[in-house]
Amino acid sequence: EAGDAQISRACRRRGTLEGWVAAAQELAPYPVAACFLYASLAACLLEITDADNCILDVACPTSSGKSIALTFAGSAWGCANERDSEGTLFQKWNSKPTYIERLIALTSGMPLILDDTKLAPSPDHIAQTLYAVASGRGKGRGTTQGIAETTAAKTILLSTSEAPAIGATRDGGTRARTLTLWALPFGSTAKEMRPTVQALADA
């Protein structure tokens, strides 16, 4: 399918490993932003360690560097620039539930990146997505000839929000698998942080 091919084109290499590592080291003083990167890299270990899917949600005011930290975390796997026309791993919270379910199945072992919960059409949409990720299994569906195959996938959801995403759900299992960091990714929204955030974006 064309959409599958577009996601596959996002998994491409640009630049050098040395340049990427040098940029990653700039995250060391900022543990919240670095946590996105750690979680991104950990997605491929879930299958190996037989660990459950989980969710990392960074909640803080807008214009604080959340999206840049998310983009860099995705860059471990390919292009996570939301404006790239060739293909990107960077997705928004307004993506349809079926799209998200199939994307998780397609990219099992990789992180799922969803930016900005305020774009979600409803709190129910957020709750359904969190539950789908935490359960790790797609919806059962029937076909004209029987039962469709269900998908099972391993992933870690990397999410940004202005208010904690778990506020949309009362499901205890989902809440238990969600780590909410209510903090500024780079410690401040002050002007002095802009050069650091811009340098990371450029890298």
Side-chain angles (χ1 to χ4, degrees), residues 54-132:
C54 55
I55 298 141
L56 173 63
D57 179 45
V58 174
C60 61
T62 189
S63 301
S64 56
K66 297 191 300 289
S67 296
I68 293 299
L70 199 58
T71 295
F72 192 81
S75 74
W77 299 91
C79 177
N81 181 350
E82 66 174 311
R83 295 178 180 84
D84 193 282
S85 58
E86 187 176 349
T88 180
L89 300 173
F90 193 100
Q91 309 294 331
K92 293 287 192 177
W93 262 100
N94 57 0
S95 300
K96 298 292 186 181
T98 302
Y99 174 83
I100 294 173
E101 178 185 328
R102 293 178 180 175
L103 179 61
I104 293 171
L106 178 66
T107 59
S108 182
M110 295 169 57
L112 171 64
I113 296 172
L114 295 178
D115 185 47
D116 202 354
T117 55
K118 74 172 183 287
L119 297 177
S122 69
D124 284 345
H125 176 83
I126 298 173
Q128 290 171 11
T129 300
L130 294 176
Y131 182 82

Side-chain angles (χ1 to χ4, degrees), residues 127 130-131 134 166 168-177:
L130 294 176
Y131 182 82
I166 56 171
T169 180
R170 295 183 179 276
D171 178 66
T174 299
R175 284 173 169 262
R177 295 184 194 176

